[in-house]
Amino acid sequence: MSARMSLPPDWDDDERMNFLFSDFKENRDVNTSDWDGKMDFWSALVLKSCRHRGTVCVSLQELNDTFRRRERAPLGLPTVLQSLARCGKIQRESEFAANVDCGWLSWGVGLLLVKPLKWTFSTLLGSSREVPLEESFVVIELVKEKAAELLRVYRSSEFANSSILSFQELCALSADVCADESTLCMALLQLQRDKQVTVSLHEGEKIVKFCQPGQDRVSPVSDVDIGVYQLQRSEKLLGERVEKLGLEADKCKEEARTLLREGKKSQALRCLRGRKRVEKRADNLFAKLESIRGILDRIAQSQTDKMVMQAYQAGLCDTQDEVNQTISSVSGADEDVDELEEELKSLLDESKPDSISGFPEVPTGGLPPSGEPAVPYRHLDISAEQLEEELSQLTLTDSGCQQKKKTTSPVKSLEPAQ
């Protein structure tokens, strides 16, 4: 028994506990007072131990282990479980999940919970006292409490305006409410019974749709729901990519400063050109991000399902191709960053002292005009003069370098103050 759970005062009374640990009489009418007193004692303790452990399910084996005293387990616990089931206070997991819909079956939850029946319900309510040790029961009062708490957590979270969440997002959100995924699934099953959620599978991902304020019951997952969900996922991914590109731009700038300190002006210019490339990519992604945010804002301001549909269709009618390209190209951002990292790595290799010869390579092409670096420029919308001007703004000091900012962009706005 966990020391953290307060035990009843009778627990140290050997005479009293010998009675409570004994089996129930076959006939309650022999002594209804003793029978009812023992039943009330264990029923309350079963509920208390489940709440203490943060679970909504319990088995006879767990109860035997929990209430073991001086190497003895209570003999009357099977009768207690039968009585609680008869009163509707507990229910077998397999019966609790018997009404799973196709959404749950697509998750595989139905196959997990609806097990072959080891014994019939009539056996549970009949005279037989044999209760399988491993059979799991749902405590109805506790699962309703968990369901209500889960709904409160969702409605007070950052996801409250999103009707659909992925199961993984919900797991993270409910970590302080549900001790494990099994408890979360039981709470979701209760919310489904209450018409507050529905579950589905989209492109292999488990998703949960919540009933929104002002609605009596949750509606089935629609194509518009999926479209909005995809837009929200894209908004999140694009925001992360823009932030990552901002960090890469800072990295290019620092490399340019380092190379400039070492007198390697041409390589510093290449770093600045790499930075411009990253900024251009970030600007493009930021423009698409703003387009998606505009659509989501209009949807968020919609008050009815019909208005949501209209806002969704109106927002996409002229930009459907662009949004689709954004969704499909989000993963491409990582590829561009990877290419940039490879380029930076090559720059670092070039900046190391030549282990074979201290002389520079002989250029194969014509010599550049005096004062202009021999840098293999790529076709970007920036001239050598602009790069030279930016390079001239990098000043070397013992405490670091500072650069004057002339323009603002999604990347530049992410740079830390210097």
Side-chain angles (χ1 to χ4, degrees), residues 120-333:
T120 64
F121 196 57
S122 59
T123 300
L124 174 64
L125 301 181
S127 60
S128 173
R129 298 190 182 185
E130 294 183 3
V131 176
L133 287 173
E134 301 299 331
E135 186 74 27
S136 184
F137 297 88
V138 179
V139 184
I140 303 303
E141 178 181 340
L142 296 184
V143 76
K144 287 183 177 180
E145 289 178 2
K146 287 292 182 186
E149 192 174 357
L150 178 62
L151 196 58
R152 285 195 299 269
V153 168
Y154 159 72
R155 287 178 175 170
S156 62
S157 73
E158 61 180 308
F159 300 104
N161 293 326
S162 304
S163 61
I164 295 182
L165 275 72
S166 70
F167 184 66
Q168 291 306 315
E169 288 174 332
L170 194 56
C171 284
L173 184 64
S174 63
D176 294 333
V177 175
C178 300
D180 49 42
E181 287 191 10
S182 176
T183 303
L184 175 58
C185 283
M186 292 296 108
L188 287 175
L189 277 168
Q190 181 61 45
L191 288 175
Q192 177 188 287
R193 285 183 167 188
D194 298 336
K195 311 298 183 184
Q196 295 299 301
V197 304
T198 184
V199 303
S200 184
L201 197 70
H202 174 65
E203 296 181 353
E205 183 181 34
K206 299 175 183 178
I207 58 176
V208 180
K209 181 181 180 181
F210 282 83
C211 182
Q212 296 301 293
Q215 298 178 338
D216 294 332
R217 59 177 58 195
V218 67
S219 58
V221 178
S222 65
D223 290 341
V224 172
D225 291 328
I226 294 298
V228 173
Y229 174 73
Q230 289 176 322
L231 287 176
Q232 291 169 336
R233 299 284 78 76
S234 296
E235 179 191 25
K236 179 181 178 181
L237 291 174
L238 283 173
E240 292 173 352
R241 297 307 188 273
V242 170
E243 183 177 1
K244 187 173 182 179
L245 288 172
L247 296 176
E248 291 298 332
D250 290 340
K251 185 177 180 180
C252 290
K253 181 177 66 176
E254 293 305 317
E255 288 298 330
R257 285 174 174 166
T258 300
L259 292 169
L260 190 58
R261 290 191 190 102
E262 297 173 355
K264 300 174 181 177
K265 181 178 177 182
S266 62
Q267 293 174 11
L269 285 169
R270 287 189 60 186
C271 274
L272 292 181
R273 181 170 289 276
R275 185 190 183 195
K276 294 298 181 182
R277 176 189 173 199
V278 175
E279 290 177 346
K280 183 176 181 181
R281 172 61 176 168
D283 287 340
N284 291 336
L285 291 183
F286 187 76
K288 295 177 181 179
L289 177 61
E290 287 296 285
S291 175
I292 290 178
R293 285 174 174 169
I295 297 171
L296 291 176
D297 286 343
R298 290 193 293 274
I299 292 175
Q301 294 170 5
S302 303
Q303 301 298 319
T304 65
D305 289 343
K306 183 177 180 180
M307 292 176 65
V308 170
M309 173 72 79
Q310 292 172 346
Y312 178 77
Q313 293 176 338
L316 295 182
C317 62
D318 295 327
T319 59
Q320 182 69 62
D321 291 340
E322 181 182 358
V323 171
N324 287 339
Q325 290 172 4
T326 298
I327 295 173
S328 62
S329 68
V330 164
S331 59

Side-chain angles (χ1 to χ4, degrees), residues 349-403:
D349 292 340
E350 292 175 9
S351 66
K352 295 178 181 178
D354 197 325
S355 59
I356 299 177
S357 171
F359 296 99
E361 294 182 5
V362 177
T364 56
L367 292 176
S370 176
E372 185 174 326
V375 181
Y377 293 121
R378 297 179 181 176
H379 297 290
L380 292 177
D381 296 331
I382 183 170
S383 65
E385 290 77 10
Q386 289 174 302
L387 286 176
E388 285 281 359
E389 180 181 356
E390 184 169 349
L391 189 63
S392 67
Q393 295 176 25
L394 293 177
T395 59
L396 305 179
T397 64
D398 292 337
S399 59
C401 301
Q402 295 186 346
Q403 180 182 15

Side-chain angles (χ1 to χ4, degrees), residues 66-133:
T66 298
F67 299 132
R68 189 170 297 278
R69 180 180 183 271
R70 297 183 180 179
E71 306 303 323
R72 291 177 57 201
L75 298 178
L77 289 177
T79 304
V80 174
L81 292 178
Q82 288 177 327
S83 176
L84 291 173
R86 189 179 296 111
C87 296
K89 294 182 178 180
I90 66 172
Q91 191 175 19
R92 285 185 305 169
E93 269 193 18
S94 55
E95 290 169 351
F96 185 80
N99 63 338
V100 295
D101 57 18
C102 58
W104 284 102
L105 293 175
S106 70
W107 281 24
V109 172
L111 302 178
L112 178 65
L113 295 179
V114 185
K115 304 171 184 176
L117 300 183
K118 299 178 182 178
W119 50 309
T120 64
F121 196 57
S122 59
T123 300
L124 174 64
L125 301 181
S127 60
S128 173
R129 298 190 182 185
E130 294 183 3
V131 176
L133 287 173

